[in-house]
Amino acid sequence: MSSSGSTRAIIAALTANAGIAVAKFTGYVITGSAAMLAEAVHSVVDTSNQALLLFGQRAAAKAPDALHPFGHGRSRYFWSFVVALVLFSLGSMFALYEGYEKVRHPVELSSPVVAVAILVVAIGLETYSFRTAVKESRPLKGPGSWWRFLRTSRNPELPVVLLEDTAALIGLVLALAGVGLSMLTGNPVWDGVSTLGISALLGAVAVFLMVEMHSLLIGEGATAAEDHAIRAALEGTENVTRLIHIRTQYLGPDEMLVGAKIALVPRLDLAGVAATIDAAEANIRAAVPAALVIYLEPDLDRTPVPHSVEQKG
């Protein structure tokens, strides 16, 4: 799992969101729309979040040291968790406050047509960012569903960018609906209602990301498919009679730790044991390239042989 695809998706999202944020703030100054302001802050938050994701990738690239002998790969999980916190605290909470105020004290929109035009342009830019994230995610997603990818991916940045872009597109549609309804009905309260909808949307995305990133931070093992492939690779190695037990954990998005105890054929000499271990490691890496750190403990197969029982006639 190379991080190059993640980087391309992050840079595309950062570029799009920076431009969108400027356009939205301009629209807010002209129209006074609360939904436009909430969306402008949303875009600033997203831009900052993408910068944090890039910083996390850079921190994760540091070489292992005495304090972190397995490297700094989990920095990417930590900064992705920070992104979720920022999205919740700044994006969702600000939109909640702004929407509540505008529902209580509706303010007539000025030049709403300008807001509509800016939102339509923003939807186009956000669609570009979303398509880039989808394109870079497809190789990792495989044949499974997008929901499964979001739940099981050990790459933190692509699910974050995908969900941020999805929330941004839905938020833009909500903002457009709020401005449109305010124009059609002459009641500016709809602008505040749409802002509350944006707040709920950002809050839901942020909570989902926090749950997923927390799970990655404390350490997730191989996926079901990877676990099956590792077991098959070990059990298919010459001189290995049985896999006694196995433990796996991702040290970072691109690096998995595999620890296993394997039973070998009896009376295998030291050279044979070493050759079997080397072959088993090569088979694991061929099956699951992310398995870069492997510790195998050889043992004898002590499985008790069941005694035959004669049936009584």
Side-chain angles (χ1 to χ4, degrees), residues 9 38 66 117 154 165-166 205 244 267:
R154 303 308 190 255
D165 286 349
T166 301
V205 170
I244 299 173
R267 293 180 293 279

Side-chain angles (χ1 to χ4, degrees), residues 146-169:
W146 284 106
W147 175 251
R148 182 178 178 83
F149 170 70
L150 293 174
R151 292 299 311 274
T152 63
S153 175
R154 303 308 190 255
N155 180 307
E157 295 93 358
L158 286 173
V160 168
V161 174
L162 271 172
L163 283 175
E164 280 190 343
D165 286 349
T166 301
L169 283 170

Side-chain angles (χ1 to χ4, degrees), residues 10-272:
I10 294 169
I11 291 175
L14 189 152
T15 304
N17 282 312
I20 292 170
V22 173
K24 288 176 182 175
F25 272 117
T26 303
Y28 164 69
V29 171
I30 295 173
T31 65
S33 166
M36 184 69 78
L37 178 59
E39 274 299 300
V41 172
H42 178 190
S43 292
V44 170
V45 169
D46 282 352
T47 304
S48 302
N49 284 345
Q50 272 98 54
L52 289 174
L53 292 177
L54 289 174
F55 180 81
Q57 286 191 338
R58 183 176 180 181
K62 292 180 181 178
D65 51 39
L67 189 60
H68 305 94
F70 288 109
H72 300 77
R74 287 189 183 173
S75 290
R76 289 167 66 180
Y77 297 148
F78 171 76
W79 288 106
S80 296
F81 185 81
V82 171
V83 162
L85 289 177
V86 171
L87 190 65
F88 182 81
S89 59
L90 295 183
S92 179
M93 291 298 99
F94 178 83
L96 178 63
Y97 168 78
E98 194 65 25
Y100 176 72
E101 286 297 312
K102 288 302 186 289
V103 169
R104 287 188 61 201
H105 309 290
V107 177
E108 195 72 31
L109 302 182
S110 59
S111 304
V113 176
V114 174
V116 171
I118 290 173
L119 288 171
V120 170
V121 171
I123 288 174
L125 291 172
E126 202 65 64
T127 300
Y128 157 73
S129 173
F130 177 75
R131 288 182 62 185
T132 302
V134 169
K135 178 182 176 182
E136 299 299 338
S137 300
R138 284 193 188 280
L140 295 179
K141 182 182 82 72
S145 66
W146 284 106
W147 175 251
R148 182 178 178 83
F149 170 70
L150 293 174
R151 292 299 311 274
T152 63
S153 175
R154 303 308 190 255
N155 180 307
E157 295 93 358
L158 286 173
V160 168
V161 174
L162 271 172
L163 283 175
E164 280 190 343
D165 286 349
T166 301
L169 283 170
I170 297 173
L172 286 167
V173 172
L174 289 174
L176 193 60
V179 173
L181 286 171
S182 296
M183 291 172 60
L184 291 173
T185 64
N187 187 355
V189 74
W190 288 109
D191 184 48
V193 171
S194 68
T195 307
L196 290 175
I198 293 170
S199 170
L201 172 68
L202 296 182
V205 170
V207 170
F208 176 84
L209 286 175
M210 281 189 277
V211 171
E212 292 301 315
M213 293 308 132
H214 168 260
S215 180
L216 289 169
L217 269 174
I218 62 176
E220 289 191 359
T223 64
E226 289 169 336
D227 181 78
H228 177 76
I230 293 171
R231 290 175 181 271
L234 284 171
E235 291 169 348
T237 302
E238 186 178 1
N239 294 325
V240 175
T241 61
R242 189 168 66 92
L243 172 61
I244 299 173
H245 67 72
I246 183 173
R247 298 289 185 273
T248 61
Q249 188 172 95
Y250 267 90
L251 304 174
D254 307 318
E255 187 174 19
M256 185 199 300
L257 167 67
V258 177
K261 177 180 282 192
I262 52 177
L264 305 183
V265 295
R267 293 180 293 279
L268 193 64
D269 60 20
L270 184 59

